[in-house]
Each structure stands twice: as C-alpha cells, then as structure tokens.
C-alpha cells in the first residue's frame, strides 16, 4: 500500500515508518517538524534502505495539504500528527484544539475529497478517563477526559466514527495506546522530549544520564502493589508493528473499530525505576513527591480485541524497553542530530 504518515518524523511515527517499509509498504511522510527533526529521515533510510518522500507541511495549512494529495495517490493514512503534552494543553487549550481538531478536520476533508478510504488514528488510553477499572476494555466506551489533550483524542474518535457512518466504504481503526516507551534497538530512533520531560521513562533517562538529580515519584499512597502508580508500558517497536497490522486490517474491512494497544500488564513507578537501574547498571536516586493532579492509580489494557482482530501481541518486556531507551540516550546525548 502507499501510505500517508502524518507526524511520521515523530517518536511513534518514525518507528512505524520503519516497520511499514520493512513489510513492503511505501510511505510518504508529512510533518511540520514542530516536535521532530529532519535527520530522522536519514535514519529511517539507514534502517530500511529507503528514505521516504517528505513534505514539511502543517495540517492546519489547507493549501499545503491539498498539494500533498494532488501529487500522490494514497491507499491509506496513518494519522499521528498532533500535540501531546497534557500539562501544556491545560495552559494552551486553543493551540491544542487548533492543531489536533482543526488540523485533523482539514486532513479528513482531503481523505474524503481524494477517495482515501482507510485511516488509522492515534488515540489514547486517556479516553477511558477515571470512570472504569483496569483492565480497560474497548466496549466500556469513553469516560470523562480531564484535560484538553485528552478531549482532542476523544473528539477525534467521535469525528472519525461519524465519517465512517456517512461515507460508504470508509474504514478506520482507532488505536488506543497505553504507555509507549523504549527505542529502536539500533539506537538510531527514539524519543527526544523538549526541555524537562513530563513522562516517567524519559525523566528516568535524564537521571541516568546525570542531567537531572533524582526522580520525583508522584505519590506512594495509591492502592497498588507498592503504593505508586501502575501503567501498561509498551515497546514503541511493538506499537509500530500494531500499526502495520491495523492498516492492513483497515484495507480489508469497512466501518470503525476501536482497539487497545498495550501489553496487558501493569508496572508500578518503582518497578520501572528498578528495571531501568538494571539496564544502566546504576542506582538511580528518587524522592516521593505529592500525587500529580489528574493521575489515576492503575491503568492497563484488555488485549483480547487486538489479538482477535489484528493477530497482535507484544513481544518485548520491560527490561528490553528500558535497555533500548538507555541505549538510545547513550548514543544520542544531544538528541537526533
Ligand atoms: P511526537 O510529538 O514525537 O510526534 C508527533 C509528530 O507530529 C511530531 O513530529 C510533530 O512535529 C508533528 N506535528 C505536530 N503538530 C503538527 C501539525 N499541526 N502539522 C503537522 N505535523 C505536526 O509524538 P508521538 O509520541 O510520536 O505521538 C504520536 C501520536 O500518538 C500523537 O497524536 C499523540 O498524541 C499520540 N499518542 C502518544 C502517546 C505517547 O505517550 N507518546 C500516547 C497516546 C497517544
Ligand atoms: N510519574 C512519576 N514521576 C514523573 C513522571 C511520571 O512518578 O516524573 C508517574 C506518574 O504519576 C504515573 C506514571 O509515572 O503514575 C506514568 O506517568 P507518565 O506521565 O509517563 O504517563 P501517563 O500514564 O500519565 O500518561 C501517558 C501519556 C499521555 C496519555 C496517557 C494515557 O503521556 O499522553 O498515558 O494514555 F494520555
């Protein structure tokens, strides 16, 4: 298939491009490089032998988008492009709605106008809110989101479902990611957060590199194995493989499916910290800090639907996730240059 990958130079998008190319698909990347780097293209080229065609385009730019669709014929679109910082979305809601909603609407308009029937969308476990008990099952539906970022994911799910109802032959897979971490085992691709990281593993990575003093563990009084928050971590390469299966599934079906992508297992903050210590061979300091507003105690996925519909299961465990994350940070002390 010839696949348009929006946000394809980003963390999950770049790994997905590698898996798509290695599975015989063609990709065209569209990204405005707001949170990624042009050198990612060369690295995808190194890993696959193919440097993808690239458009530096913003999905808020209708004319720019139109040009991409005029110049290519796509069988499918995997839509990663968007902003993802929960805290920033609270202080800049309009920026988030403009990028993640208005930009996505422009993209969907083009998909329909140019007859691209298959779409895979990056949703998030955040749409379950704090309304349900783990394991989160797709059939629970959507809960109450607690920040504009989460609301943009929930709204996109509803918009795509409506588009599938209105446009015969349209096919969508809404992938609800749990917590993607890790990096490509080559050390060529990985996550490069801007400034001080908000997420657990990128923060631990900075502590391991000696760039931050210690980890703040947000709460140790949750009803969990050791009192710290429990999440379902998934290796980014496993997540990338799920996208290959999802886009191939979309091509053979019509309608809209919501599918969780996680390992089905939960790890506490301290368990992840200890796995990372093993990976880097150092003891990493931490202090217990107050709970972070909006956090829930436990989140992990029900994985039966991914297995049944996509034949997808994760391969990599938490040790491999931490080892690959550490390897990437050692190989790229200044990010992707
Ligand atoms: P990322 O920031 O690394 O990648 C997103 C890419 O989109 C970046 O390269 C950025 O430059 C690009 N982009 C942003 N706004 C754009 C715009 N207006 N036009 C064109 N390009 C634009 O993030 P990621 O971790 O790879 O996440 C990919 C998708 O998955 C996002 O939609 C994110 O919300 C979603 N998601 C991520 C996580 C996570 O924990 N990483 C969890 C659930 C869902
Ligand atoms: N945590 C710490 N210290 C830190 C950072 C995180 O203790 O410095 C804890 C959190 O309290 C939580 C766990 O580590 O218990 C994981 O936190 P992350 O910020 O890494 O991940 P979240 O589960 O909060 O959020 C992630 C994505 C969101 C997405 C959400 C639900 O970052 O985009 O999963 O899918 F919305």
């Amino acid at each position: 298939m010839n696949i348009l990958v929006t946000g394809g130079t980003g963390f999950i998008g770049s790994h997905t491009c590698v898996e798509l190319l290695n599975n015989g698909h063609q990709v065209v990347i569209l990204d405005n490089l707001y949170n990624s780097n042009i050198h990612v293209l060369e690295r995808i080229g190194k890993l696959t032998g193919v440097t993808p065609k690239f458009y530096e385009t913003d999905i808020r730019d209708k004319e720019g988008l139109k040009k991409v669709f005029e110049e290519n014929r796509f069988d499918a679109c995997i839509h990663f492009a968007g902003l993802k910082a929960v805290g920033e979305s609270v202080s800049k809601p309009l920026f988030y709605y403009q990028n993640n909603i208005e930009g996505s609407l422009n993209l969907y308009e083009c998909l329909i106008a140019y007859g691209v029937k298959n779409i895979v969308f990056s949703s998030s476990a955040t749409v379950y809110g704090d309304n349900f008990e783990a394991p989160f099952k797709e059939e629970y539906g959507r809960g109450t989101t607690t920040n504009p970022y989460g609301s943009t994911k929930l709204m996109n799910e509803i918009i795509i479902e409506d588009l599938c109802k209105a446009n015969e032959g349209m096919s969508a897979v809404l992938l609800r990611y749990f917590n993607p971490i890790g990096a490509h085992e080559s050390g060529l691709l990985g996550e490069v957060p801007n400034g001080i990281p908000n997420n657990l593993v990128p923060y631990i990575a900075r502590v391991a590199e000696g760039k931050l003093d210690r980890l703040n563990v947000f709460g140790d009084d949750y009803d969990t194995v050791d009192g710290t928050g429990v999440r379902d971590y998934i290796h980014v390469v496993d997540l990338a493989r799920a996208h290959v299966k999802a886009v191939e599934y979309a091509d053979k079906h019509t309608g809209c499916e919501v599918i969780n992508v996680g390992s089905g297992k939960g790890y506490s903050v301290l368990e992840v910290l200890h796995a990372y210590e093993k990976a880097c061979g150092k003891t990493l300091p931490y202090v217990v800090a107050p709970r972070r507003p909006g956090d829930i105690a436990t989140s992990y996925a029900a994985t039966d639907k991914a297995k049944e519909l996509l034949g997808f299961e994760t391969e990599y465990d938490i040790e491999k996730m931490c080892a690959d994350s550490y390897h990437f940070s050692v190989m790229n002390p200044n990010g992707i240059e």
Side-chain angles (χ1 to χ4, degrees), residues 154-205:
L154 185 140
M155 288 177 201
N156 264 288
E157 284 200 357
I158 296 172
I159 293 164
I160 295 172
E161 280 174 2
D162 287 342
L163 293 177
C164 286
K165 285 181 202 148
N167 294 277
E168 219 190 315
M170 193 160 173
S171 178
V173 179
L174 312 177
L175 293 179
R176 288 186 183 157
Y177 311 158
F178 280 69
N179 290 54
I181 60 167
H184 198 272
E185 69 177 357
S186 62
L188 289 175
L189 297 174
E191 189 171 15
V192 188
N194 255 334
I196 295 177
N198 297 306
N199 297 116
L200 179 64
V201 172
Y203 198 103
I204 295 176

Side-chain angles (χ1 to χ4, degrees), residues 79 97 100-109 112 119 121 142 151-167 170 172 174 256:
H79 179 29
Y97 288 117
N100 295 5
I101 300 293
E102 195 183 326
S104 296
L105 289 176
N106 294 339
L107 175 72
Y108 304 150
E109 216 175 336
I112 291 166
I119 177 162
F121 175 69
R142 291 176 276 264
S151 301
T152 68
K153 292 296 171 194
L154 185 140
M155 288 177 201
N156 264 288
E157 284 200 357
I158 296 172
I159 293 164
I160 295 172
E161 280 174 2
D162 287 342
L163 293 177
C164 286
K165 285 181 202 148
N167 294 277
M170 193 160 173
L174 312 177
C256 188

Side-chain angles (χ1 to χ4, degrees), residues 11-12 31-32 34-36 58-59 80 84 99 149 153:
F11 173 48
I12 307 169
D31 201 298
N32 66 354
Y34 178 79
N35 197 36
S36 55
D58 192 305
I59 53 171
F80 294 104
K84 63 166 183 177
N99 268 277
Y149 164 74
K153 292 296 171 194

Side-chain angles (χ1 to χ4, degrees), residues 96-243:
Y96 272 67
Y97 288 117
Q98 278 157 352
N99 268 277
N100 295 5
I101 300 293
E102 195 183 326
S104 296
L105 289 176
N106 294 339
L107 175 72
Y108 304 150
E109 216 175 336
C110 284
L111 295 179
I112 291 166
Y114 290 87
V116 184
K117 300 271 186 197
N118 303 311
I119 177 162
V120 176
F121 175 69
S122 303
S123 190
S124 163
T126 197
V127 303
Y128 288 110
D130 57 3
N131 305 63
F132 311 109
E133 288 240 328
F136 296 139
K137 298 183 182 168
E138 294 87 345
E139 70 209 40
Y140 290 168
R142 291 176 276 264
T144 315
T145 51
T146 53
N147 55 74
Y149 164 74
S151 301
T152 68
K153 292 296 171 194
L154 185 140
M155 288 177 201
N156 264 288
E157 284 200 357
I158 296 172
I159 293 164
I160 295 172
E161 280 174 2
D162 287 342
L163 293 177
C164 286
K165 285 181 202 148
N167 294 277
E168 219 190 315
M170 193 160 173
S171 178
V173 179
L174 312 177
L175 293 179
R176 288 186 183 157
Y177 311 158
F178 280 69
N179 290 54
I181 60 167
H184 198 272
E185 69 177 357
S186 62
L188 289 175
L189 297 174
E191 189 171 15
V192 188
N194 255 334
I196 295 177
N198 297 306
N199 297 116
L200 179 64
V201 172
Y203 198 103
I204 295 176
R206 291 278 205 279
V207 177
E209 288 174 86
K211 290 180 181 161
L212 290 169
D213 292 342
R214 66 187 78 80
L215 173 70
N216 297 301
V217 174
F218 297 143
D220 68 348
D221 55 354
Y222 287 107
D223 184 15
T224 62
V225 57
D226 55 19
T228 66
V230 166
R231 295 291 181 275
D232 182 336
Y233 296 91
I234 176 169
H235 195 294
V236 65
V237 173
D238 274 334
L239 180 57
R241 289 193 305 106
H243 286 79

